[in-house]
Amino acid sequence: MFNQNQIYSIFNQQQIQEQLQQQYHNQQMWKVSDCAKKLDDFLKSAEEIDVQYQQLVFAECCAVLGKHMQR
């Protein structure tokens, strides 16, 4: 009869778990960086809007934020 514990001893479960956690961490760090870049792009594009339209931009952004907060 084959011992199932022999199968599990082939793989280092702790190492596998650590690798998965590292992959998850790396993925999240990439998303953080991407989000910050998009915010920078947004702010740069907002700077290009004439002063007379900036209030409109602010109102539109508040509407978008409000939609996200309702989720």
Side-chain angles (χ1 to χ4, degrees), residues 1-3 5 10-11 17 19-20 25 27 29 33-35 37 39-40 53 57-62 65 69:
M1 186 165 163
F2 191 75
N3 186 350
N5 288 334
I10 293 173
F11 304 104
Q17 185 65 25
Q19 287 176 346
L20 290 174
H25 172 75
Q27 180 186 45
M29 292 302 294
S33 176
D34 187 50
C35 184
K37 182 187 178 307
L39 177 60
D40 184 57
Y53 294 96
V57 170
F58 180 72
E60 291 295 321
C61 290
C62 286
L65 287 171
M69 292 174 71

Side-chain angles (χ1 to χ4, degrees), residues 1-69:
M1 186 165 163
F2 191 75
N3 186 350
Q4 288 183 342
N5 288 334
Q6 290 176 342
I7 293 174
Y8 292 112
S9 67
I10 293 173
F11 304 104
N12 184 338
Q13 294 296 321
Q14 182 178 358
Q15 184 179 6
I16 292 171
Q17 185 65 25
E18 288 172 1
Q19 287 176 346
L20 290 174
Q21 288 173 344
Q22 185 64 44
Q23 287 174 349
Y24 177 77
H25 172 75
N26 292 344
Q27 180 186 45
Q28 293 302 305
M29 292 302 294
W30 183 86
K31 287 181 178 184
V32 167
S33 176
D34 187 50
C35 184
K37 182 187 178 307
K38 288 177 181 179
L39 177 60
D40 184 57
D41 290 344
F42 163 75
L43 293 173
K44 286 177 182 175
S45 69
E47 290 172 353
E48 296 174 0
I49 297 171
D50 287 336
V51 174
Q52 62 191 24
Y53 294 96
Q54 287 181 357
Q55 187 66 31
L56 178 61
V57 170
F58 180 72
E60 291 295 321
C61 290
C62 286
V64 171
L65 287 171
K67 287 180 184 177
H68 278 271
M69 292 174 71

